[in-house]
Amino acid sequence: MTAGLEAENAVRLPALSVRDLRVLLPDSERDIELVRGVSFEVAAGECLGLVGESGAGKSLTGYAAMGLVERSGLRLEGTVNVADVCISDLGGRRLSRIRGQRISMIFQEPSVSLNPAFRVGSQIAEVVRVHRRTSRREAWDRAIEALRLAGVPNPERRAREYPHTLSGGLKQRAMIAMAISCEPEVLIADEATTALDVTVQAQILDLLRELQDRLGMALVVITHDFGVVADICDRVAVMYAGQIIEQGDVRDVLYRPQHPYTQGLLDAVPRAFETAAVVGIAGTVPPPDALLTGCRFAPRCPYAQDECRVSEPELMATGRDAMVRCIRHSDINLPGVRRAV
Amino acid sequence: MTASIDSSPARAQTPGRENGEPVARGVSPRRAMLRAFVGDRLAVVALLVLITMGALALLAPVVAPYDPNAQDFSQTLQSPSREHWFGTDDLGRDLLSRMLFGARLSLGAALIAVTLGAALGVLPGFLAGYRGGTVDIGLSRLTDAIMCIPGLILSISLIAVFGPGTLQVAIAVGVAFAPRFFRVARGAALSVAAETYVKAVRAAGAGHTRTLLRHVVPNASSAVIVQASLMFGMGLLVEAGLSFLGFGAQPPAASWGALLRRGSGFMVEARYLSVIPGLVITIAVLAGNIAGDGLQRAVTNQRSSGR
């Protein structure tokens, strides 16, 4: 019965909703905008990909959604809701209670994501004890169960080991176990597979998908790898220079991209059995403090015209749940991903 | 949220053993550090020297051959002999006995100074390094202000207020040490706070107090321990210096520095009176530094091979 109610709730409210999120670096003259008004929603059981090249602001968006910008001097604006709780208004203790319990995050470098001074199991058990009133014994059992769920073989034994004795893949599984130990509604995976080799990558992606199904989590996958996006995501938001420039269903974005930048990213994916050189995007991401008028991609865009440099384009809805930030999206015809020969 | 984590039945396993084979529990980083230290022969010898000195100091009433303050005017300024291993001073007191009792003052003062310095400096340092921002700026500027005053002058002025004596010297040196401990602790916490695992536990919902005490402190403390062992040698030296200047232990009690000072008056007639205390101070300080360096090496080795 509770499950039914929860399911009903999930339909009405997205598990994670981010509205006009801005990350500002206060500066003497004017604040530098690192993330420039990002909005997205992820429903329970859904997977959203955040893609973009380095410096696009995708990881920062993830951290900001968690409120993890302390010590950095950055300022946050906008609202972040986990189901019905607005966590961007919370601070201190109340925010800590949500983190790990309802929204969790895993990180790029599994080798430095676990505290080297403690046994793997006790770190996970600690998270359980932060959020749930359980005895040490129960927390430890739960930690082992989380490790088992995260596909760690022989979890009773692994739980008693120190992080440095584990391989990269196992460490990432341990991190995932820690993140899901309290069954959060939202999991943000920040380049969670980037540091792993390809076979382990695939296993971790399978694991994430399996856990998502099992726990009904909303998943946000931050990556620069379209392979990962194609593999696991339902929807994708492409970020450039701190903004979402295109958003939509994965198939649509991959096969019928509407923004030239998305096309550029797709062209830059290397492919097996193809002798043609990978085509990069000329130029670099403009620094966040660059004073640009018009479309921020215009300087690098092969389709740019004078009108592109006049004013910054809005995010325009182009279909059900499809949005693009390009005034020429209906004029230009982009080929999308080139199919393997 | 329908599926539960607690679904698998197999949970009760005998801890420590599994399928009959002993479970590899893994080596904790701290134990790895200890192992590296034990493998460092020079450092172990240095530590043993210090431990021996400490034990002799503690056992002084038992092992000392004479009352350190008993005067024997028939035996003044005797060179080292079978009766008086380290000789006697101008009042016929046995130097070995005086050195043994002096060790209590010298080593004790150094220990108190290091403990006090650590107690005052370490926690604010960890806090400043972990929290950053205004907390860091405030505490760091305060430390800078204290550090502007030369340590010796600071110690002497504190002694001027509280009067001479070993405890006063120890406290003064401890206060002068606190900023150094603060800086080391702050730096260590600063680098640990930037680690991903700190971000990870924050992301998992740990509060600031828990993050600081459970995750930052254990990983930053090795630098502080190394610093403490190095400061011990420095504490000995400063105490000896202040005692030499007459600020420390008051007669008839005498720390090593005070013995050195008294001996310096008889450089011609009885060289051993200043050479022996000087040599012992040198050995103790050197042992402290070598042990500290060994600890430092053990920490860095453990770090480079640990991950």
Side-chain angles (χ1 to χ4, degrees):
Chain A
M1 172 167 169
T2 2
L5 261 178
E6 272 179 30
E8 229 173 88
N9 260 330
V11 174
R12 271 187 270 121
L13 274 177
L16 175 69
S17 115
V18 173
R19 280 274 150 267
D20 201 29
L21 185 70
R22 285 168 201 278
V23 180
L24 304 157
L25 179 64
D27 199 45
S28 50
E29 290 160 38
R30 64 198 172 88
D31 294 347
I32 298 167
E33 277 191 275
L34 304 177
V35 173
R36 307 157 53 84
V38 166
S39 303
F40 59 82
E41 289 178 353
V42 198
E46 190 188 32
C47 176
L48 173 76
L50 274 184
V51 272
E53 59 195 307
S54 305
K58 49 195 194 308
S59 290
L60 204 53
T61 302
Y63 288 130
M66 294 283 295
L68 278 176
V69 291
E70 52 206 17
R71 281 171 50 83
S72 57
L74 298 174
R75 209 174 74 233
L76 294 184
E77 282 176 11
T79 56
V80 179
N81 282 287
V82 174
D84 51 343
V85 184
C86 179
I87 64 168
S88 46
D89 288 345
L90 299 179
R93 226 165 270 256
R94 282 194 291 176
L95 178 57
S96 292
R97 211 169 296 153
I98 303 283
R99 283 188 198 145
Q101 169 106 292
R102 305 191 63 178
I103 179 166
S104 280
M105 189 163 185
I106 51 178
F107 300 89
Q108 175 164 8
E109 242 342 300
S111 54
V112 295
S113 301
L114 290 165
N115 189 334
F118 295 108
R119 293 171 202 278
V120 173
S122 62
Q123 290 186 50
I124 301 170
E126 187 192 348
V127 174
V128 175
R129 278 173 64 82
V130 165
H131 293 295
R132 309 251 158 119
R133 264 191 217 156
T134 57
S135 69
R136 266 170 209 287
R137 183 74 225 171
E138 281 167 341
W140 180 263
D141 288 345
R142 201 178 174 83
I144 286 172
E145 220 40 64
L147 283 169
R148 192 192 310 282
L149 210 58
V152 173
N154 212 341
E156 287 89 358
R157 175 178 174 158
R158 291 303 187 186
R160 275 194 290 272
E161 290 188 358
Y162 284 91
H164 70 266
T165 61
L166 267 54
S167 69
L170 273 185
K171 271 184 229 174
Q172 192 62 293
R173 284 178 190 273
M175 263 313 290
I176 292 172
M178 189 162 142
I180 60 151
S181 59
C182 292
E183 302 177 12
E185 293 142 68
V186 183
L187 180 64
I188 301 176
D190 179 19
E191 302 270 12
T193 58
T194 308
L196 306 170
D197 66 52
V198 188
T199 47
V200 182
Q201 241 180 54
Q203 292 167 9
I204 295 291
L205 289 179
D206 286 346
L207 171 68
L208 285 176
R209 195 169 16 216
E210 184 199 317
L211 289 173
Q212 184 190 17
D213 285 349
R214 192 154 175 179
L215 303 173
M217 291 185 296
L219 194 58
V220 178
V221 172
I222 298 169
T223 182
H224 61 265
D225 186 346
F226 262 110
V228 171
V229 171
D231 195 1
I232 192 173
C233 296
D234 305 311
R235 283 189 305 129
V236 59
V238 183
M239 286 190 69
Y240 182 76
Q243 291 175 319
I244 291 179
I245 53 102
E246 179 164 8
Q247 189 175 332
D249 183 79
V250 166
R251 272 167 201 286
D252 292 342
V253 173
L254 289 182
Y255 293 117
R256 288 180 296 280
Q258 304 194 68
H259 198 288
Y261 177 65
T262 312
Q263 183 63 47
L265 281 184
L266 292 171
D267 289 341
V269 177
R271 234 166 298 271
F273 313 116
E274 221 169 85
T275 45
V278 166
V279 188
I281 306 174
T284 51
V285 183
D289 58 343
L291 288 165
L292 283 177
T293 50
C295 173
R296 295 180 76 78
F297 186 59
R300 301 170 73 185
C301 179
Y303 302 95
Q305 292 180 337
D306 289 343
E307 51 178 335
C308 292
R309 300 187 180 88
V310 177
S311 69
E312 196 168 317
E314 294 291 314
L315 207 52
M316 288 165 270
T318 57
R320 204 177 64 82
D321 199 41
M323 284 184 275
V324 65
R325 196 186 287 275
C326 176
I327 53 171
R328 301 203 59 213
H329 69 90
S330 48
D331 309 342
I332 54 182
N333 197 6
L334 300 167
V337 68
R338 292 165 296 154
R339 289 173 201 261
V341 185
Chain B
M1 306 266 40
T2 44
S4 167
I5 269 181
D6 300 312
S7 52
S8 172
R11 191 186 299 160
Q13 284 262 5
T14 327
R17 231 151 224 281
E18 210 168 282
N19 308 331
E21 65 180 284
V23 171
R25 287 173 170 237
V27 178
S28 87
R30 193 136 293 166
R31 191 165 299 172
M33 188 177 113
L34 202 67
R35 257 181 219 176
F37 182 80
V38 169
D40 192 339
R41 199 168 297 170
L42 189 65
V44 171
V45 169
L47 189 65
L48 285 178
V49 167
L50 279 182
I51 290 173
T52 312
M53 285 181 166
L56 285 175
L58 283 176
L59 296 172
V62 183
V63 294
Y66 298 91
D67 177 348
N69 299 324
Q71 302 177 359
D72 182 351
F73 291 102
S74 64
Q75 298 276 335
T76 58
L77 295 178
Q78 297 286 307
S79 294
S81 62
R82 197 171 297 170
E83 286 78 43
H84 300 283
W85 288 5
F86 285 2
T88 60
D89 67 2
D90 56 321
L91 299 175
R93 295 177 293 195
D94 178 55
L95 184 60
L96 175 59
S97 304
R98 288 181 71 70
M99 287 295 291
L100 286 169
F101 278 92
R104 305 181 125 198
L105 297 177
S106 291
L107 298 177
L111 203 63
I112 291 172
V114 169
T115 311
L116 183 68
L120 290 176
V122 170
L123 217 58
F126 281 151
L127 191 67
Y130 170 66
R131 281 316 291 265
T134 39
V135 178
D136 184 23
I137 292 169
L139 287 170
S140 290
R141 290 302 84 79
L142 183 69
T143 311
D144 290 346
I146 297 172
M147 274 195 119
C148 283
I149 311 166
L152 203 60
I153 307 288
L154 181 65
S155 302
I156 289 174
S157 46
L158 283 172
I159 291 161
V161 174
F162 298 110
T166 308
L167 188 64
Q168 286 89 321
V169 166
I171 291 171
V173 175
V175 170
F177 277 180
R180 294 164 187 263
F181 276 105
F182 172 86
R183 291 206 167 170
V184 170
R186 175 183 172 271
L190 201 62
S191 75
V192 172
E195 294 277 0
T196 312
Y197 57 78
V198 171
K199 202 163 246 178
V201 295
R202 290 289 297 155
H208 280 306
T209 316
R210 175 179 285 269
T211 310
L212 179 62
L213 294 182
R214 287 267 301 159
H215 295 275
V216 176
V217 168
N219 287 291
S221 56
S222 54
V224 173
I225 293 166
V226 169
Q227 180 69 10
S229 63
L230 290 171
M231 295 299 267
F232 181 76
M234 175 119 45
L236 268 177
L237 210 55
V238 175
E239 192 279 332
L242 286 170
S243 294
F244 188 84
L245 295 174
F247 296 114
Q250 295 304 300
S255 67
W256 292 347
L259 288 170
L260 183 66
R261 168 193 162 87
R262 191 162 181 93
S264 67
F266 305 93
M267 283 296 277
V268 183
E269 312 93 292
R271 211 171 296 145
Y272 59 89
L273 274 184
S274 46
V275 169
I276 289 174
L279 217 55
V280 170
I281 291 170
T282 310
I283 291 170
V285 172
L286 211 57
N289 287 352
I290 290 172
D293 284 343
L295 212 51
Q296 177 110 61
R297 270 195 302 275
V299 168
T300 36
N301 281 353
Q302 172 258 322
R303 219 164 253 157
S304 55
S305 65
R307 291 177 188 168

